[in-house]
């Protein structure tokens, strides 16, 4: 039974993030990955994992009714996280180079500013996931296995999405010779436009 429950919630987590109804989270991932190329995949995995850690915390706390929140406020804050990410990208694009600054070897990659911001933004997005998961769980009081497998499913979905984004960037940059700055500006501009539409909608 446990194996069945694990697989079921793994699939639910994967499909919850890997579908067009979760377009706000997909747009956030696009903005998050925009400054990076395929060879930066380790940095991107670290970013996505930082985001997952953040949303796993609030997802668990909200699902278990440890913390309360305003759904309306979260619906506003999610596009705000996208806007802030896009503004950081645009600031980077305005510099001479668009490649992320190399981290010092003494600093663990998970503690760099982009990763910490991704984790903080993940805290907000986790509250957005929680209403969906609570509907699935019903009256269960200790859904530990369900929370774990759902989060793993979300993580797998996110990694697949960013893999597509990095591969698309690779094709455009290497095969079609699109300038890296142009790729960053177009993807960031698209994400920013959608986020602003969500804010004013």
């Amino acid at each position: 039974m446990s194996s069945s429950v694990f697989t079921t919630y793994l699939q639910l987590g994967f499909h919850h993030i890997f579908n067009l109804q979760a377009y706000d989270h997909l747009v956030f991932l696009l903005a998050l990955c925009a400054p990076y190329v395929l060879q930066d995949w380790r940095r991107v995995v670290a970013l996505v994992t930082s985001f997952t850690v953040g949303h796993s915390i609030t997802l668990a706390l909200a699902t278990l009714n440890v913390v309360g929140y305003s759904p309306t406020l979260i619906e506003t804050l999610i596009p705000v996280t996208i806007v802030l990410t896009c503004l950081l990208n645009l600031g980077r694009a305005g510099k001479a180079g668009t490649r992320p600054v190399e981290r010092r070897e003494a600093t663990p990659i998970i503690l760099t500013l982009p990763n910490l911001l991704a984790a903080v933004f993940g805290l907000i997005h986790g509250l957005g996931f929680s209403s969906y998961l609570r509907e699935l769980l019903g009256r269960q009081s200790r859904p530990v296995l369900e929370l774990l497998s759902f989060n793993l499913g979300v993580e797998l979905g996110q990694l697949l999405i960013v893999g597509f984004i990095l591969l698309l960037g690779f094709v455009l940059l290497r095969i079609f010779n699109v300038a890296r700055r142009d790729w960053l500006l177009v993807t960031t501009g698209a994400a920013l436009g959608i986020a602003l539409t969500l804010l004013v909608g």
Side-chain angles (χ1 to χ4, degrees):
M1 177 65 74
S2 294
S3 176
S4 175
V5 169
F6 183 90
T7 302
T8 298
Y9 279 86
L10 183 74
Q11 293 174 346
L12 288 170
F14 178 86
H15 291 298
H16 183 60
I17 190 70
F18 199 76
N19 73 81
L20 293 179
Q21 291 182 347
Y23 67 92
D24 50 348
H25 302 292
L26 300 180
V27 172
F28 176 76
L29 292 173
L30 175 64
L32 196 66
C33 297
Y36 301 92
V37 294
L38 189 58
Q39 69 191 67
D40 300 318
W41 66 270
R42 289 183 181 84
R43 292 174 179 273
V44 176
V45 169
L47 276 173
V48 174
T49 301
S50 299
F51 177 70
T52 299
V53 169
H55 77 62
S56 296
I57 292 172
T58 49
L59 176 61
L61 293 177
T63 302
L64 297 173
N65 294 313
V66 176
V67 297
Y69 66 95
S70 165
T72 302
L73 177 61
I74 295 304
E75 288 177 5
T76 300
L77 289 178
I78 287 176
V80 167
T81 65
I82 301 171
V83 170
L84 291 176
T85 304
C86 290
L87 292 177
L88 290 173
N89 290 349
L90 293 176
R92 178 176 293 161
K95 298 177 182 178
T98 60
R99 187 171 185 81
V101 177
E102 294 295 324
R103 63 185 175 88
R104 296 180 180 178
E105 290 300 321
T107 304
I109 191 170
I110 201 70
L111 297 180
T112 59
L113 180 60
N115 293 82
L116 293 175
L117 285 175
V120 171
F121 292 163
L123 294 173
I124 297 171
H125 285 246
L127 295 173
F129 289 140
S130 64
S131 58
Y132 169 76
L133 184 56
R134 276 195 291 192
E135 290 179 6
L136 294 175
L137 292 171
R139 297 179 178 274
Q140 293 188 57
S141 60
R142 295 182 179 275
V144 176
L145 182 61
E146 292 86 347
L147 279 167
L148 173 62
S149 55
F150 185 85
N151 279 316
L152 287 176
V154 169
E155 174 77 343
L156 290 174
Q158 290 176 158
L159 290 174
L160 187 56
I161 291 163
V162 300
F164 285 153
I165 295 171
L166 292 178
L167 284 174
L168 177 60
F170 176 82
V171 170
L172 293 175
L173 296 174
R174 292 295 182 89
I175 299 178
F176 292 96
N177 295 317
V178 173
R180 182 166 180 174
R181 185 172 184 273
D182 291 343
W183 163 253
L184 175 58
L185 290 175
V186 169
T187 52
T188 297
L192 182 59
I194 295 172
L196 291 176
T197 301
L198 287 172
L199 275 176
V200 300

